[in-house]
Amino acid sequence: LYGKAIIRTGIGGEDDSDLMAVEALGIACDLGMEAYKSARGMPTLFQDVELKHEWEVGYYMQADFEEACADNNEF
């Protein structure tokens, strides 16, 4: 999806590409959260692209959430 957004920007379809890029970043964040839950590392695909940051945001957001819940005996 992120790759499609880059290509659409290159061919002049910027209206669609902005939405696609935002959606791709959201998906990367969600995947980071799921990776934390299942104790998985970052996929190789994300390590060299802008999606890495969003994946890390999701991963650490989930870690913080679980830590807060554990502190409050809610998890």
Side-chain angles (χ1 to χ4, degrees), residues 31-74:
L31 289 173
M33 293 173 75
E34 291 301 318
Y36 183 85
K37 290 179 190 178
S38 60
R40 291 186 180 161
M42 180 184 294
T44 305
L45 174 68
F46 286 179
Q47 291 177 359
D48 295 323
V49 295
E50 191 173 327
L51 297 174
K52 176 183 179 180
H53 174 72
E54 293 303 319
W55 186 94
E56 289 174 334
V57 167
Y59 187 90
Y60 292 114
M61 193 165 45
Q62 184 65 31
D64 292 343
F65 172 75
E66 288 188 17
E67 184 178 321
C69 289
D71 290 345
N72 295 325
N73 295 322
E74 294 177 7

Side-chain angles (χ1 to χ4, degrees), residues 1-17:
L1 191 57
Y2 193 75
K4 284 183 180 181
I6 292 170
I7 291 168
R8 286 202 183 186
T9 298
I11 60 174
E14 292 181 24
D15 293 339
D16 292 339
S17 66

